[in-house]
Amino acid sequence: MSFILPFSAIRLADLPAVGGKNASLGELVNGLSSLGVRVPDGFAVTAEGYRHFLRANSLTERIDEAIAALDPTRLDRLEETGSLIRQWIEEATMPEDLAEEIRNAYREREKEYGPNYDVAVRSSATAEDLPDASFAGQQETFLNVRGSGRVLHKCRRVYASLYTNRAISYRAHKGYAAEEIAISVGVQKMVRSDRGASGVMFTLDTETGFRDLVLINAAYGLGENVVQGAVNPDEFHVHKGALRANRRPILLRRLGDKQEKMVYDRDPDTPNTVRNVTVLEEERRRFCISDEEAEELARFAIAIEDHYSAERGQPTPMDIEWARDGLDNQLYILQARPETVHSQEKRGYVHEVFQMEGTGPVLCEGRAVGKRIAKGKAKVILDSENMHEVHPGDVLVTDITDPDWEPVMKTASAIVTNRGGRTCHAAIIARELGIPAVVGVGDATERIPSHSDVTVSCAEGETGHVYEGLLPFHTDTIQLEGRRKPRTQMYLNVGDPQQALSFSGLPADGVGLARLEFIINNSIRVHPQALLDFEHLDGDTRRQVEKVMAGYPSPRDYFVRRLAEGVSTICAAFYPRPVVVRMSDFKSNEYAALLGGTSYEPFEENPMLGWRGAARYFSPQFAEAFAMECAALAGVREEMGFDNLIPMVPFVRTVEEGQAVLAKMAEHGLERGKDGLKIYLMCELPSNAILAEAFLEHFDGFSIGSNDLTQLTLGVDRDSGMLTGYDERNPAVLGLMEMAIKACRKQGKYVGICGQAPSDFPEITKWLVERGIDSISLNPDSLVDMLEVVLAAEEAQS
């Protein structure tokens, strides 16, 4: 055959002949089948077949002349020219020799799959899926195509799709000349994911570029809904190191709403081959793939990344489409291409931090994409026909984007959509363009007034906010290359597990304070005792709790696994650097604010000095809740293998109280000294410093909590706005801190500080270095400045 190549005869080197997508499929078939990676069979119609088609219809020069005369920035001319070229191609005749080869290739596979078997007909441009340009979705894909006649028709449609408005614009934006581009067609056996599930996965975190995890998005039905962002999918994070070590590797599970699924359309009276149907509520409340399937997909992803990295001689993160067949329940890889955003960044050089300088009324919230901030005039566009209304610097607000929107997306300062997840079309393009996007809002087009001034912030964690008005913000550019490191260990205070992935690239030696309260408040959201008493809750509370814990087998399992997911994400981000995790230190009023919490918390006049910290852990009213905390942390260390986790016990009033807590922790799988487990005490009460030597007989070190130590030393309510001028620089507070540092140094035990003081007061940082503190834990935004202060203090000592 002159124009046909089976996947089994294709390798990456054949990209000029079959395009990026088909070359990759051939590489997968030939290079990874032996490792158990399943890829549906098929064949490629070569790029020479496309050129033959153009020559036979005298279209080559006509198309080149039309493209040469085009200004792609003018949307009206772009649409006119693209429409004309597509019309030329769709009205042209398929040369008989090419048509016969395509028919024969299809018929050959009918021997295995039966007459009129179902295939996907996909584009594969010869400049597609190159390292610096994704070309994802630029040309058409047709699903559930049956019969050789329809395959021929769809091949012509694929040729025409090389000249959609979006494809012409994208190539012009990337600097590809018309004569450089040709198109091949992939004809691939369908996977019956219409009866199963499908999605996309990346071998890095798409928001931060963190490379030690596999991000998986999954939804019911055919995968186009996930790729296009038409549904909010389930999401899994799988840690590569834990998976390679045969440990429990799942760092995160997030249940998506998965409102609809794409299935085969069997209606003989419609030209459509697929359609969307509503997903049953019961199915939406379940994850569409199991943990075991997520792990198998991650193994496939790692094998693919390893193979491509070896082939290219450099690390190559991958963007992969997958499907689970609902008939044989097997997982398949449909496509794989190099990731084109974070893989092109210079790693370890510059870190940009965007920060709001104030906030205003929140118009809406969704999933944050991009870690950036932008502001401009909102343009609510419900139909692509009206996208010419978006001018440079505007904020595009719409229901959902597809590749047709790309010409105007390039002019927007930010994007906000009703629908979509972290790997939807809008998210992918926003990352590539370097602009923030808030996706999956639900009702952004209703809540944001068109032509109003808005600020879009994706720099405040995994939730993106759209604020009313043009609010001030600033950008810090941190130069990381070549920085000297001080002797004093520089740690970070980290609350949000997702931000930990981004912060892991900073020049920090570990995490000095990770707060369980952040994870409980933002990820679990239910009082632990309400989960333990789930069967006895009142009807309304029970329904709310049931909704929150959807996708998990039991209330206890929900708490333990969600807490472990948050902690393990922080530990994974910094592994093998130490991560000090403070056990829960909610006050009674804060616990009461959790779902179901009012039934279990007392009213206290001064919760700051009440039932909090260690006093809770062994009390009958809270002991079982504390057992769940311990189970989560023990699982992170033992089952997931993150032995860099160091638990820390807060607010220990007496030595006896500390001993009682340690006994409970040992009872629940956190035995000090076993398998190298260290347990620190948070030195935040005057009694901790005064009796430091007695406390250190039972703990492996101190982390000074300067915030509480200050208020308890000076008798100042830190929440009071009436009392000012009292802070950690007071001689009494400094005296207690010095007592704690001396006691730890005398016993050869660790001493650090994790309070606010070093972040706020450079003079305290210098004072701590002079007294020989082992580590200083800072807010991420003050790390680089304090590095210079510490280095200067160390140099002054030498």
Side-chain angles (χ1 to χ4, degrees):
M1 289 186 179
S2 302
F3 305 116
I4 301 294
L5 282 174
F7 290 165
S8 59
I10 297 172
R11 298 302 294 251
L12 280 178
D14 296 310
L15 187 148
V18 297
K21 195 174 297 172
N22 286 334
S24 186
L25 283 168
E27 189 68 29
L28 292 171
V29 168
N30 287 288
L32 289 153
S33 295
S34 61
L35 300 178
V37 177
R38 291 178 285 274
V39 182
D41 187 27
F43 61 90
V45 184
T46 65
E48 185 55 34
Y50 163 75
R51 297 187 187 97
H52 178 55
F53 172 86
L54 294 187
R55 289 192 298 267
N57 290 279
S58 303
L59 288 175
T60 307
E61 291 183 2
R62 291 171 69 189
I63 292 173
D64 288 349
E65 290 171 0
I67 294 296
L70 173 66
D71 178 358
T73 64
R74 288 189 54 185
L75 295 182
D76 55 341
R77 293 296 309 281
L78 180 63
E79 186 169 343
E80 179 184 318
T81 302
S83 177
L84 182 62
I85 295 174
R86 293 194 300 274
Q87 182 181 343
W88 292 343
I89 293 174
E90 291 185 19
E91 291 178 353
T93 302
M94 184 72 74
E96 183 54 32
D97 54 348
L98 175 59
E100 186 60 20
E101 289 195 18
I102 295 171
R103 283 193 289 264
N104 288 340
Y106 181 85
R107 290 167 183 162
E108 179 65 28
R109 284 156 182 79
E110 285 184 314
K111 297 174 184 176
E112 180 177 358
Y113 302 122
N116 293 327
Y117 72 96
D118 51 341
V119 296
V121 181
R122 304 179 187 275
S123 68
S124 182
T126 54
E128 191 172 29
D129 302 332
L130 299 180
D132 64 340
S134 73
F135 285 83
Q138 293 304 314
Q139 287 79 48
E140 298 289 355
T141 292
F142 301 98
L143 305 177
N144 187 25
V145 180
R146 294 174 179 271
S148 58
R150 289 183 177 175
V151 170
L152 285 171
H153 172 67
K154 297 304 183 187
C155 284
R156 196 163 60 244
R157 291 281 303 277
V158 167
Y159 290 163
S161 74
L162 190 59
Y163 297 97
T164 58
N165 304 344
R166 68 206 185 214
I168 298 170
S169 173
Y170 189 89
R171 292 195 296 271
H173 179 69
K174 286 292 183 181
Y176 288 94
E179 61 271 15
E180 293 182 274
I181 307 296
I183 195 165
S184 168
V185 180
V187 180
Q188 185 179 38
K189 175 71 178 74
M190 286 286 293
V191 173
R192 292 304 302 272
S193 57
D194 61 307
R195 298 189 179 186
S198 57
V200 297
M201 56 182 173
F202 290 80
T203 59
L204 47 61
D205 178 60
T206 53
E207 291 312 304
T208 65
F210 181 71
R211 295 194 176 185
D212 291 337
L213 64 77
V214 176
L215 164 66
I216 301 171
N217 278 180
Y220 295 113
L222 299 171
E224 293 303 296
N225 280 344
V226 177
V227 173
Q228 295 170 4
V231 296
N232 295 326
D234 296 337
E235 185 173 318
F236 294 80
H237 292 181
V238 184
H239 189 254
K240 294 177 184 176
L243 187 65
R244 291 183 195 273
N246 292 317
R247 298 276 194 168
R248 199 180 82 202
I250 296 179
L251 302 177
L252 172 74
R253 303 164 186 81
R254 181 179 288 111
L255 191 70
D257 58 27
K258 309 181 294 294
Q259 290 185 343
E260 59 185 18
K261 63 179 177 180
M262 186 177 287
V263 298
Y264 283 11
D265 193 336
R266 301 294 193 184
D267 186 348
D269 297 324
T270 175
N272 299 325
T273 57
V274 294
R275 62 190 175 98
N276 276 314
V277 299
T278 301
V279 177
L280 296 174
E281 179 66 26
E282 182 182 347
E283 291 182 319
R284 290 172 57 191
R285 292 173 59 80
R286 294 197 302 260
F287 289 102
C288 64
I289 60 173
S290 66
D291 285 2
E292 292 74 21
E293 287 170 328
E295 291 178 22
E296 184 177 358
L297 284 169
R299 288 190 187 93
F300 285 180
I302 292 171
I304 292 168
E305 180 181 53
D306 288 349
H307 180 82
Y308 275 72
S309 298
E311 285 291 315
R312 298 183 63 226
Q314 64 183 55
T316 304
M318 299 297 292
D319 169 358
I320 301 163
E321 294 181 28
W322 62 271
R324 186 190 72 216
D325 194 305
L327 300 180
D328 65 14
N329 288 318
Q330 298 274 30
L331 294 166
Y332 295 86
I333 299 301
L334 306 181
Q335 295 186 45
R337 61 178 73 88
E339 191 271 347
T340 58
V341 178
H342 291 288
S343 58
Q344 298 304 302
E345 294 178 348
K346 287 186 175 181
R347 293 174 60 79
Y349 288 84
V350 173
H351 180 77
E352 272 192 326
V353 180
F354 286 71
Q355 287 191 312
M356 296 290 298
E357 294 178 1
T359 59
V362 176
L363 296 173
C364 60
E365 298 178 344
R367 296 299 305 281
V369 174
K371 303 295 181 188
R372 292 171 174 265
I373 303 171
K375 53 188 176 181
K377 195 169 294 297
K379 293 293 179 66
V380 180
I381 309 294
L382 299 178
D383 194 302
S384 60
E385 291 181 359
N386 300 320
M387 62 185 180
H388 62 275
E389 297 177 14
V390 179
H391 299 127
D394 287 345
V395 174
L396 171 62
V397 183
T398 188
D399 179 52
I400 187 175
T401 69
D402 61 32
D404 284 331
W405 290 76
E406 288 177 25
V408 75
M409 293 168 78
K410 296 178 177 67
T411 69
S413 62
I415 300 167
V416 184
T417 68
N418 291 339
R419 295 188 282 165
R422 290 176 61 192
T423 57
C424 72
H425 174 266
I428 291 171
I429 298 303
R431 292 187 196 100
E432 192 167 299
L433 296 174
I435 61 175
V438 179
V439 301
V441 173
D443 54 359
T445 53
E446 299 172 15
R447 296 173 68 95
I448 300 175
S450 197
H451 297 87
S452 64
D453 289 335
V454 298
T455 300
V456 178
S457 174
C458 294
E460 302 169 84
E462 63 181 27
T463 299
H465 302 90
V466 181
Y467 294 105
E468 181 181 302
L470 303 178
L471 303 180
F473 68 90
H474 68 272
T475 307
D476 294 325
T477 301
I478 302 172
Q479 186 71 34
L480 302 180
E481 187 181 26
R483 282 187 173 273
R484 291 183 300 140
K485 296 196 71 174
R487 294 188 302 274
T488 307
Q489 297 288 288
M490 304 298 286
Y491 289 174
L492 295 176
N493 297 331
V494 177
D496 185 347
Q498 293 310 299
Q499 287 192 319
L501 299 178
S502 178
F503 295 151
S504 67
L506 292 171
D509 297 298
V511 174
L513 177 62
R515 304 174 181 88
L516 289 194
E517 304 92 78
F518 186 97
I519 301 168
I520 295 170
N521 197 42
N522 290 276
S523 182
I524 296 173
R525 308 201 304 275
V526 184
H527 194 287
Q529 200 61 44
L531 290 166
L532 292 168
D533 292 347
F534 177 73
E535 298 296 334
H536 303 103
L537 297 176
D538 66 79
D540 184 53
T541 304
R542 178 168 173 165
R543 280 188 294 272
Q544 291 182 65
V545 172
E546 199 168 44
K547 184 177 180 180
V548 168
M549 57 174 259
Y552 289 81
S554 71
R556 187 181 191 281
D557 184 79
Y558 169 73
F559 184 93
V560 172
R561 288 173 70 171
R562 291 291 282 186
L563 189 58
E565 287 167 12
V567 173
S568 64
T569 296
I570 300 174
C571 291
F574 286 86
Y575 193 82
R577 291 170 286 177
V579 174
V580 181
V581 177
R582 186 178 72 186
M583 309 301 286
S584 64
D585 193 24
F586 276 125
K587 289 72 174 174
S588 55
N589 61 320
E590 295 168 336
Y591 261 125
L594 295 171
L595 182 55
T598 54
S599 300
Y600 302 99
E601 295 299 324
F603 172 77
E604 296 183 290
E605 291 290 348
N606 190 347
M608 191 72 75
L609 297 179
W611 193 36
R612 61 174 287 198
R616 277 184 174 263
Y617 303 157
F618 53 83
S619 66
Q621 303 98 308
F622 196 78
E624 190 58 29
F626 182 64
M628 292 197 296
E629 278 186 39
C630 294
L633 268 59
V636 171
R637 281 185 59 90
E638 296 169 12
E639 297 174 28
M640 303 184 76
F642 295 117
D643 53 9
N644 58 332
L645 187 160
I646 302 171
M648 178 167 67
V649 184
F651 223 78
V652 184
R653 293 174 169 93
T654 68
V655 174
E656 294 74 22
E657 200 171 66
Q659 289 177 286
V661 170
L662 290 173
K664 280 292 180 185
M665 292 177 72
E667 182 182 328
H668 299 305
L670 293 172
E671 182 179 347
R672 179 180 170 231
K674 184 178 180 182
D675 298 323
L677 175 64
K678 294 181 179 179
I679 299 177
Y680 293 162
L681 178 138
M682 193 161 185
C683 179
E684 55 190 332
L685 294 147
S687 62
N688 300 147
I690 294 167
L691 298 178
E693 293 192 11
F695 278 105
L696 286 169
E697 290 180 18
H698 307 285
F699 291 90
D700 296 290
F702 280 178
S703 184
I704 298 170
S706 59
N707 301 356
D708 272 350
L709 186 61
T710 299
Q711 76 164 347
L712 296 171
T713 302
L714 301 178
V716 176
D717 181 356
R718 72 187 197 196
D719 291 336
S720 171
M722 301 293 293
L723 300 172
T724 59
Y726 303 95
D727 59 48
E728 292 87 339
R729 293 171 292 184
N730 184 281
V733 181
L734 293 175
L736 287 171
M737 288 198 289
E738 187 163 19
M739 288 174 65
I741 294 169
K742 285 182 176 179
C744 288
R745 290 182 64 80
K746 180 180 177 181
Q747 296 197 25
K749 293 195 173 182
Y750 165 86
V751 60
I753 185 167
C754 61
Q756 187 68 26
S759 295
D760 289 348
F761 306 119
E763 59 268 41
I764 285 191
T765 301
K766 180 175 179 290
W767 182 90
L768 290 166
V769 172
E770 291 169 350
R771 269 114 192 114
I773 200 160
D774 292 320
S775 76
I776 297 173
S777 194
L778 302 150
N779 297 332
D781 60 355
S782 62
L783 174 65
V784 174
D785 289 341
M786 289 303 106
L787 276 171
E788 299 304 321
V789 172
V790 171
L791 282 166
E794 289 180 349
E795 288 174 357
Q797 282 185 299
S798 59

